[in-house]
Amino acid sequence: MKHPSYTAKTDPDKIAYEMAGSGETLSFGQLDKRSNQAAHGFRKLQVEAGENIALLFENCLDFVVLTWAAQRSGVFYTAISCHLTANEISYIVGDCAAKVLVLSSKYAELFPAIQSACPDVRIYVSGKCDDPGMDWNAFVRHMPSDPIQDETVGADLLYSSGTTGRPKGVVREFTRQPIETVIPPLMTVLCETMANMNDQSVYLSPAPLYHAAPLRTSMMAVMLGGKSIIMERFDAEGALKCIEQFGVTHAQFVPTMFIRMLRLPEAVKHRYDLSSLKRVIHAAAPCPVDIKRQMIAWGG
């Protein structure tokens, strides 16, 4: 079975996620327990399979727990860019028909404006919260840690950047399927077949997790029983340091990140041992041919 809940049974203490900067970790056992509790929380709030929630987070472990909770409860989850204004966020929350919005305490100041614009949406804060009625962690803390009875696979519902008018969500038709079903199925081909990810893989995610490729690829690594290293924010030298420090085997970058790494001084570029790296995926904008050639010449 390809799912973190399987690894939670066979190797509960194995690390599923680690934050590159803080060193904070989440084991498969902890991920299973917390995602089950959050899934029960969704049902308590009457979010049923095929319905929607929205998430507003920086790269952090609370965010990944909620994505897996949605994934195993049949819920569509919309990850929203934390660089948007309250009006822009409110539009997406309303447009995706989210019944619940959970936001990081880092963005708690946006709560009143979003609540005013979306009065029918239940909004919770994850992290430090002085209002017990808004505290997501307090709400789910005593929820059951076993799976909900009607587990079925959920999926992301992500939005375009809105360069041609309002942002647009990419909607999938809901179908009840087992939680080990990979949606979209292309991720199996890309990660497992082409990139040879497996339970020994260490994946580096240097980009914001509200983007499709970082979110899906980091989840896929964990689905296969591997480990995801999440950078709080991209830093060119920091990415090289992570590869050496964590023995990274797989990574996903965008061309701009390639350019920034290539511009590092030669002494810095060759300071770190990158020999563990086996596969690199690039996404987003098309990669200039000369940049890709330079990366291949450097990395092999």
Side-chain angles (χ1 to χ4, degrees):
M1 179 179 175
K2 299 171 188 174
H3 196 268
S5 61
Y6 172 76
T7 309
K9 293 182 178 68
T10 58
D11 195 357
D13 294 329
K14 183 178 182 179
I15 300 302
Y17 288 95
E18 183 164 353
M19 299 304 299
S22 69
E24 186 181 6
T25 61
L26 188 69
S27 71
F28 278 91
Q30 291 169 327
L31 175 61
D32 192 56
K33 175 184 176 180
R34 291 182 59 188
S35 63
N36 278 329
Q37 289 177 314
H40 279 283
F42 294 152
R43 292 292 189 264
K44 183 79 171 177
L45 295 170
Q46 299 182 326
V47 182
E48 303 299 332
E51 296 186 319
N52 300 69
I53 65 165
L55 305 171
L56 179 66
F57 281 85
E58 73 280 17
N59 283 6
C60 64
L61 298 183
D62 283 352
F63 172 77
V64 301
V65 167
L66 285 161
T67 61
W68 281 110
Q71 190 275 345
R72 67 190 305 164
S73 58
V75 171
F76 288 108
Y77 48 102
T78 295
I80 302 175
S81 168
C82 50
H83 298 292
L84 299 181
T85 65
N87 285 339
E88 292 168 328
I89 293 165
S90 299
Y91 169 76
I92 293 174
V93 171
D95 189 68
C96 75
K99 296 182 75 172
V100 172
L101 166 66
V102 185
L103 53 85
S104 164
S105 57
K106 188 174 180 179
Y107 308 107
E109 73 277 2
L110 299 174
F111 184 105
I114 299 171
Q115 185 71 88
S116 178
C118 305
D120 296 328
V121 178
R122 295 288 299 271
I123 304 178
Y124 288 88
V125 174
S126 177
K128 184 179 179 181
C129 181
D130 297 327
D131 185 342
M134 295 166 45
D135 190 333
W136 174 259
N137 295 334
F139 172 66
V140 298
R141 187 171 296 129
H142 301 295
M143 293 288 173
S145 59
D146 57 319
I148 58 173
Q149 292 186 348
D150 60 338
E151 276 196 325
T152 185
V153 69
D156 58 63
L157 195 171
L158 304 181
Y159 273 68
S160 68
S161 60
T163 52
T164 55
R166 291 279 202 177
K168 300 168 184 67
V170 182
V171 181
R172 297 183 181 88
E173 182 179 353
F174 173 73
T175 305
R176 286 191 175 273
Q177 299 178 80
I179 58 172
E180 62 265 27
T181 304
V182 179
I183 301 176
L186 171 63
M187 296 307 297
T188 295
V189 177
L190 178 64
C191 296
E192 190 173 15
T193 306
M194 295 178 64
N196 300 126
M197 280 187 181
N198 55 42
D199 60 355
Q200 299 302 307
S201 298
V202 180
Y203 171 72
L204 176 64
S205 185
L209 291 177
Y210 53 74
H211 286 305
L215 174 62
R216 293 171 183 170
T217 314
S218 62
M219 291 183 76
M220 192 68 196
V222 172
M223 196 157 196
L224 294 170
K227 180 179 181 180
S228 281
I229 306 298
I230 308 297
M231 295 182 71
E232 285 84 348
R233 60 185 299 276
F234 176 71
D235 172 77
E237 183 177 355
L240 304 183
K241 181 180 179 181
C242 283
I243 294 170
E244 178 183 78
Q245 178 182 350
F246 297 105
V248 169
T249 59
H250 295 74
Q252 182 263 320
F253 298 99
V254 300
T256 299
M257 294 175 179
F258 283 166
I259 292 169
R260 289 172 62 181
M261 288 189 286
L262 287 167
R263 287 177 177 169
L264 289 169
E266 288 300 312
V268 174
K269 286 166 63 177
H270 297 289
R271 181 177 298 160
Y272 300 96
D273 180 3
L274 310 182
S275 61
S276 63
L277 194 61
K278 297 177 181 179
R279 299 284 190 278
V280 173
I281 300 167
H282 69 76
C287 187
V289 173
D290 64 314
I291 296 300
K292 192 164 184 176
R293 283 177 173 160
Q294 290 180 65
M295 289 300 297
I296 291 171
W298 177 17

